[in-house]
Structures are given as C-alpha cells and as structure tokens.
Amino acid sequence: MIRTTPPFRRPAQGSALAALVLAAALAVAPGAAADESNATPPGSSPVCAFYDGDGLTAFGEQGERVSQVQCMLANRRYLPWEAVDGVFGVRTLAAVQRFQADHPPLVPDGLVGPHTWSALWHA
C-alpha cells in the first residue's frame, strides 16, 4: 500500500490540548448542523482515503483514518468539505462531537472508536 500522508501521531498531552479541546466543545453546540454551504469548492477535490477498520482516532492525529472520518462527516453534513485535510483538528473534533451527540448512545467525547466508526458507517 502506498501511503500519501505522514504516519499517524498520537495526540499530545498537556493543559494546552485540554484547553483547546474544551474551547472547541464550547464553541459549537451539540446538534448544530454544519454550514449549509457544504459543497466541494469548484476546481478542487478533497482527498478521501478508504479505511474500513475501527482503530481509535483522536484529536491531533493525521493520515488515512482521519481523512476517512472527515469524508464521512462531510458526506453527512457535519463538516464542510474544505475542512477535509487528513488532520484531526478543532473543526473535526467539533464535528465528531456533534455527530456523537446526534447518535445516542454515543458519548460526545470526540474520540472515534469502534462504536463511533460503526455509527458513521451506518448513518
């Protein structure tokens, strides 16, 4: 398999990360829809990887798993297409939390584990 993105990185630990995660969670109310202008920008196409596993994917990581999460969120209008970049940042975190809040019994913790992967695939 040819990898076009850097290897996955584990999220950094520390108070700066906690503050950023908290700010993202507070900035977007659960259940809020993504921007209605969710169309792919003209002349560009997001890079969507195909990943069919259920490995834990979290804030700060990057690569194919993140790209797959972002594409599924964009297809479901939780994330605008211009945010599909393979990097699990603040916008992706907020989108994951909104998706989880809209799909009980998921816990809106922003972690994409087996239950969230399953819900994304079946939504």
Side-chain angles (χ1 to χ4, degrees):
M1 172 168 70
I2 298 175
R3 187 174 295 259
T4 59
T5 56
F8 302 116
R9 289 190 222 160
R10 293 318 262 162
Q13 301 297 319
S15 60
L17 174 63
L20 186 58
V21 170
L22 179 59
L26 295 175
V28 182
D35 182 23
E36 288 301 318
S37 61
N38 198 42
T40 304
S44 68
S45 60
V47 178
C48 291
F50 180 77
Y51 172 75
D52 65 352
D54 63 0
L56 181 63
T57 307
F59 183 82
E61 293 185 19
Q62 58 184 353
E64 293 174 349
R65 288 186 301 178
V66 175
S67 178
Q68 182 64 40
V69 169
Q70 290 175 327
C71 288
M72 289 191 290
L73 290 167
N75 278 330
R76 287 150 185 82
R77 297 188 179 268
Y78 284 89
L79 187 69
W81 279 106
E82 70 263 8
V84 176
D85 60 3
V87 178
F88 200 129
V90 174
R91 290 176 85 179
T92 303
L93 174 65
V96 168
Q97 289 172 325
R98 284 193 310 271
F99 177 83
Q100 291 169 326
D102 287 349
H103 294 84
L106 296 177
V107 176
D109 58 7
L111 298 173
V112 183
H115 297 295
T116 301
W117 276 110
S118 179
L120 282 166
W121 284 112
H122 295 101

